[in-house]
């Protein structure tokens, strides 16, 4: 079994930055892709970004393109989400997720149903 643990959430003013991290532990970790999703109060969970673990290709939601960057720390089995120029609408609980594979299209990576493991989430609050 794989465990995912997020960290790095917090309170930041609009225009500021935060960096989220997701550490994986458990069995040998070799996912096909790692992603970030978020859920704001009263809203459905939505896709934020995903990265194919080995290939390195990335997919972003239009709402975060140019502001968020997903990256991998090879040595630590960790995936990070650098969030810059944060907006109040970015306020949500952010979840890390992993997909075991096999390969998925970019469109499929946008769906939370494609992910097999989930973290508990970390709160990000952006104040105006």
């Amino acid at each position: 079994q794989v465990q995912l643990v997020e960290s790095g959430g917090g309170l930041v003013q609009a225009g500021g930055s935060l960096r989220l991290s997701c550490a994986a532990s458990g069995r040998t970790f070799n996912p096909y892709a790692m992603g970030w999703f978020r859920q704001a109060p009263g809203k459905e969970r939505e896709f934020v970004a995903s990265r194919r673990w080995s290939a390195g290709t990335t997919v972003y939601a239009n709402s975060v393109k140019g502001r968020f960057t997903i990256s991998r720390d090879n040595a630590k089995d960790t995936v990070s989400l650098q969030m810059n120029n944060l907006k109040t609408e970015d306020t949500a609980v952010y979840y890390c997720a992993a997909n075991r594979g096999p390969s998925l299209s970019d469109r499929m990576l946008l769906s939370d149903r494609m992910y097999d493991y989930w973290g508990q989430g970390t709160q990000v609050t952006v104040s105006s």
Side-chain angles (χ1 to χ4, degrees), residues 99-113:
N99 168 269
R100 293 177 296 188
S103 63
L104 298 174
S105 66
D106 284 0
R107 184 171 182 174
M108 295 173 76
L109 285 174
L110 271 60
S111 172
D112 59 1
R113 294 177 296 174

Side-chain angles (χ1 to χ4, degrees), residues 64-112:
V64 306
K65 276 182 182 177
R67 300 189 298 122
F68 291 11
T69 302
I70 186 171
S71 61
R72 172 185 174 184
D73 183 332
N74 292 350
K76 299 180 180 179
D77 281 346
T78 298
V79 65
S80 297
L81 184 70
Q82 177 66 41
M83 305 185 294
N84 297 329
N85 191 22
L86 282 160
K87 304 176 181 180
T88 55
E89 52 263 43
D90 294 318
T91 295
V93 177
Y94 283 70
Y95 297 92
C96 172
N99 168 269
R100 293 177 296 188
S103 63
L104 298 174
S105 66
D106 284 0
R107 184 171 182 174
M108 295 173 76
L109 285 174
L110 271 60
S111 172
D112 59 1

